[in-house]
Amino acid sequence: MKRYISILILSCIIAVTKAQNYNIMNYGAKSDTTLLSTTAIQRAIDECSSKGGGTVLVPAGNYLSTTIMLKDNVNLYLDNGATIYASRKISDYGGEKVSVGAADNEFIEVLVSANNVKNISVTGKGTLNCRAERVAYRREPKTNFNDSITGREILNAIKYGVDYRDKFKKVPPFTGAINFTGCENVHIEDIQVIESSFWSVHLQWCDRVYVNGIYIYSNPDNGVNADGLDIDGCSNVMISDCNINTGDDALCLKTTNRDGYSRACNGIAITNCILTSSSAALKFGTESNNNFENITISNCVIKDANRGINMIMRDGGTIRNVTISNITINTVRKATFWWGNGDPIWLTIQSRNNHPSGGNIENVTLQNIIAHGQSGIRVEGFSNRLNNIHFNNIQLFIEPESAKDKRARDGYLFDGVNNLYMKECSLVWNKERVQKEWENAYKFKNIDGLYIKDVIGEKSPNKGYEIFYYENVNRAKIEK
C-alpha cells in the first residue's frame, strides 16, 4: 500500500512538473537564424503565465527574435547551447522602442522586456546575443570647454598633439538585451549577454532583484554606450559572482529621470564580481536625479579599466551611507574618446543643465583597497562639497601612462571636502619609468576638517614637490 501511494505521489509530481514547462519548439520556434521565432516564444510565455506560471524552455539551438515580453511568474530558461539572437533588421521591430531615461533621452529596441510584472527570471547557461554593429566617425573639435568632465582632457590632448576626435557610433537597431521596468522579485542567473548596442542589462525601478553568476561582454574598443549591468532606481538588490567585460561602464548604479519621474537606489549589496571596462568599472551616476543610499560593495576585482570606482553626481541626488571594501584595482589609460584618466578612484560633484549644486556625496567609506593606476585618486567637489569621507588602508601605486597625452599629476588629490578621514594609507611612485608630470604625493585643497593617522608616502621623483601639500585647510589633526 505504501509503495502504491509513493508511486502515485511521484506520478503526480512528474505530471505537475511537465505541466509547468513550456518548450518553445512546441509553439513553432525554429533553430534557424533566418526565421523569426518571436511569435512562438511569446506564445509560450503567454500561456505559461496565464496558467499560473512556470518555465519557458529554450532548448539548445540558435533562434532569431525581436522583442519578447515576460509576464507574471515566468522563468525564461536558456538551456546549455541555446542562443537567442536579436534581429538586425529594424523593420522587424515594428517601431517598438523603450525610453531608458538616459541623459541624452535614448530610445532603444529590447530583446527581453518586462513592465510592471512580478516573479520573473531569466536563467540557464544559454546566451542572449544582440549582435551590435558600430562604425567609426570623426567628431569636430569642440570650441567650448566649459564641461569640466571632458574639457580638461580635451585641452590636454590638444597640448600633446593628440587627435581626440575619433569615436564610434551605433548602427540601428539599438538593441539592449534585457530591460525590466517596475518589476518585483526579479532573478537573472548564469546567462551570458553578448554585444548589446545599448545598456546590456537595464533594471529600472524594480524591487527585490537578484543577479548571480552572469557574464556580460561588449567590444572593449568600440562598445560605446554598451554598459554591462545598470541598476536604475531599484531597491533591495543583491548582485554576486558576475564577470562583466565591456567597452562602456561595467556595473553602474543610476537614478535616471523618465518623463519627470525618478526613484532612489536603496539597499544594494554587491560582492564577488570581476569588472573590466574601457570606461568605468564600477560607477554611481552620471544619471543622478535621485539618491543612492545604504549600499555595500565588497570582494571585487577591477582590472584593465579606464576608471576604477567612480561617483559622479551631476543632477541633484545624494550618495550617502556607502561602504566599499576589499577591492583590487588596476587601471590603464584607453583611447582618448573614452572618459577616464586611468584613475583608480574618482569621486566628484559637477552640476549640469544649470542645476544649482549637482548633488551631494556624504558618509562614504573606502577601505582595504590595493590600487595600481596610471593616474591618481581624486576626490573633487566642483559645484558642492563632499562630506564625511573615510579612506582606510588604501595602497596606491602610480604607474607610468601608456597614452601620449599625460594626465597624471598628484597621487591623492582632495579638493572641496568637509571632514576627510585618512588612516593607514600609502603611495608608491614607479621609479623605473618616471613621468615628468608627477607632482605631490598628497594634495589637500579647500578642506574643512582633516584627520590623518599613519599615512605615508614618497616624494615625487621630480624635484620641487612635497609628500603633503596643503592649501586652505582648516581644522586639521595630523598624525603621520
Side-chain angles (χ1 to χ4, degrees):
M1 185 68 175
K2 287 182 179 180
R3 182 181 177 189
Y4 173 78
I5 294 173
S6 298
I7 292 172
L8 180 61
I9 292 172
L10 180 60
S11 299
C12 290
I13 291 172
I14 292 171
V16 169
T17 302
K18 285 183 178 179
Q20 292 177 334
N21 283 271
Y22 301 81
N23 189 322
I24 65 169
M25 302 295 281
N26 297 332
Y27 295 82
K30 304 292 183 185
S31 178
D32 184 341
T33 56
T34 67
L35 300 173
L36 283 172
S37 289
T38 311
T39 301
I41 299 171
Q42 193 63 57
R43 282 176 183 161
I45 290 170
D46 292 348
E47 183 170 341
C48 177
S49 179
S50 68
K51 293 184 176 179
T55 296
V56 171
L57 173 64
V58 182
N62 298 315
Y63 307 90
L64 184 69
S65 185
T66 56
T67 302
I68 304 161
M69 297 295 299
L70 283 191
K71 303 290 181 67
D72 288 333
N73 306 314
V74 172
N75 170 28
L76 181 65
Y77 184 86
L78 306 172
D79 208 353
N80 267 320
T83 300
I84 300 178
Y85 290 95
S87 171
R88 290 301 306 163
K89 292 182 181 178
I90 195 162
S91 58
D92 286 345
Y93 291 86
E96 292 182 59
K97 288 182 182 289
V98 172
S99 170
V100 294
D104 47 3
N105 293 316
E106 287 271 6
F107 288 83
I108 67 168
E109 290 78 19
V110 177
L111 184 53
V112 181
S113 185
N115 295 308
N116 303 311
V117 298
K118 296 180 179 180
N119 308 325
I120 58 171
S121 50
V122 184
T123 65
K125 303 295 185 181
T127 302
L128 300 176
N129 191 325
C130 292
R131 303 190 297 163
E133 295 179 16
R134 309 173 185 97
V135 296
Y137 77 106
R138 304 280 288 172
R139 292 183 296 171
E140 289 304 314
K142 283 188 177 181
T143 56
N144 184 342
F145 299 110
N146 291 329
D147 183 344
S148 55
I149 284 185
T150 58
R152 292 172 301 171
E153 298 173 0
I154 292 172
L155 286 170
N156 199 52
I158 293 171
K159 173 184 171 182
Y160 283 87
V162 174
D163 186 348
Y164 64 88
R165 291 177 291 174
D166 289 332
K167 199 175 180 180
F168 291 86
K169 63 180 179 181
K170 306 179 294 293
V171 176
F174 306 146
T175 310
I178 295 175
N179 194 100
F180 296 161
T181 300
C183 299
E184 182 180 337
N185 192 21
V186 173
H187 291 244
I188 303 175
E189 185 172 356
D190 292 339
I191 65 167
Q192 300 180 86
V193 177
I194 307 298
E195 283 292 14
S196 291
S197 295
F198 202 74
W199 300 344
S200 302
V201 178
H202 178 217
L203 305 179
Q204 183 180 51
W205 308 340
C206 296
D207 182 42
R208 289 195 293 141
V209 172
Y210 308 88
V211 181
N212 176 255
I214 68 172
Y215 173 70
I216 302 177
Y217 175 86
S218 64
N219 189 292
D221 297 319
N222 61 31
V224 176
N225 298 131
D227 289 10
L229 175 59
D230 288 285
I231 303 298
D232 183 356
C234 296
S235 299
N236 304 310
V237 179
M238 299 179 69
I239 301 169
S240 66
D241 306 298
C242 296
N243 188 342
I244 304 176
N245 183 349
T246 54
D248 226 306
D249 304 327
L251 200 168
C252 192
L253 306 183
K254 296 180 179 290
T255 52
T256 62
N257 184 324
R258 184 171 164 188
D259 299 326
Y261 180 76
S262 67
R263 288 188 189 176
C265 278
N266 193 342
I268 296 174
I270 300 169
T271 191
N272 298 343
C273 294
I274 299 174
L275 307 173
T276 304
S277 172
S278 296
S279 193
L282 177 61
K283 189 169 84 170
F284 294 64
T286 55
E287 287 86 357
S288 49
N289 297 275
N290 212 312
N291 297 340
F292 304 81
E293 301 177 289
N294 308 317
I295 296 167
T296 68
I297 300 168
S298 63
N299 304 332
C300 292
V301 174
I302 292 173
K303 61 190 184 82
D304 194 23
N306 205 356
R307 284 178 174 151
I309 298 168
N310 281 193
M311 297 183 184
I312 306 177
M313 300 301 289
R314 308 202 68 191
D315 306 309
T318 294
I319 294 174
R320 64 164 62 95
N321 305 336
V322 176
T323 299
I324 301 175
S325 61
N326 301 338
I327 312 289
T328 65
I329 301 173
N330 174 262
T331 52
V332 179
R333 285 280 307 280
K334 305 295 182 179
T336 304
F337 68 82
W338 290 111
W339 282 9
N341 302 316
D343 32 7
I345 299 171
W346 186 36
L347 279 55
T348 186
I349 303 172
Q350 303 185 38
S351 64
R352 66 176 161 195
N353 299 331
N354 299 314
H355 194 280
S357 72
N360 297 284
I361 299 176
E362 59 189 39
N363 307 339
V364 172
T365 296
L366 296 102
Q367 61 190 12
N368 303 333
I369 294 173
I370 300 174
H372 290 256
Q374 291 187 351
S375 189
I377 290 172
R378 296 185 293 153
V379 178
E380 301 172 293
F382 289 101
S383 54
N384 205 4
R385 298 174 72 86
L386 295 85
N387 292 278
N388 196 27
I389 307 300
H390 292 247
F391 276 50
N392 302 327
N393 188 24
I394 311 295
Q395 301 177 51
L396 174 61
F397 299 84
I398 301 292
E399 306 294 348
E401 292 174 78
S402 51
K404 195 164 134 183
D405 53 325
K406 308 302 182 186
R407 297 178 185 172
R409 298 295 182 266
D410 302 296
Y412 294 79
L413 169 63
F414 299 93
D415 186 354
V417 183
N418 295 333
N419 298 321
L420 170 63
Y421 300 82
M422 296 189 74
K423 183 179 179 181
E424 297 179 355
C425 296
S426 63
L427 178 138
V428 176
W429 305 95
N430 185 311
K431 300 176 189 63
E432 295 180 0
R433 294 175 56 200
V434 175
Q435 309 276 267
K436 63 183 178 60
E437 292 81 7
W438 290 346
E439 297 181 3
N440 303 284
Y442 299 85
K443 180 177 282 185
F444 302 97
K445 298 175 61 179
N446 306 310
I447 309 296
D448 185 12
L450 174 62
Y451 308 93
I452 295 178
K453 184 176 182 180
D454 298 329
V455 172
I456 61 174
E458 305 172 337
K459 275 193 174 184
S460 166
N462 301 312
K463 292 182 180 180
Y465 299 105
E466 302 296 328
I467 296 177
F468 297 93
Y469 172 90
Y470 305 97
E471 179 181 329
N472 191 25
V473 174
N474 301 309
R475 297 191 302 117
K477 182 179 179 180
I478 299 170
E479 301 177 34
K480 300 177 185 176

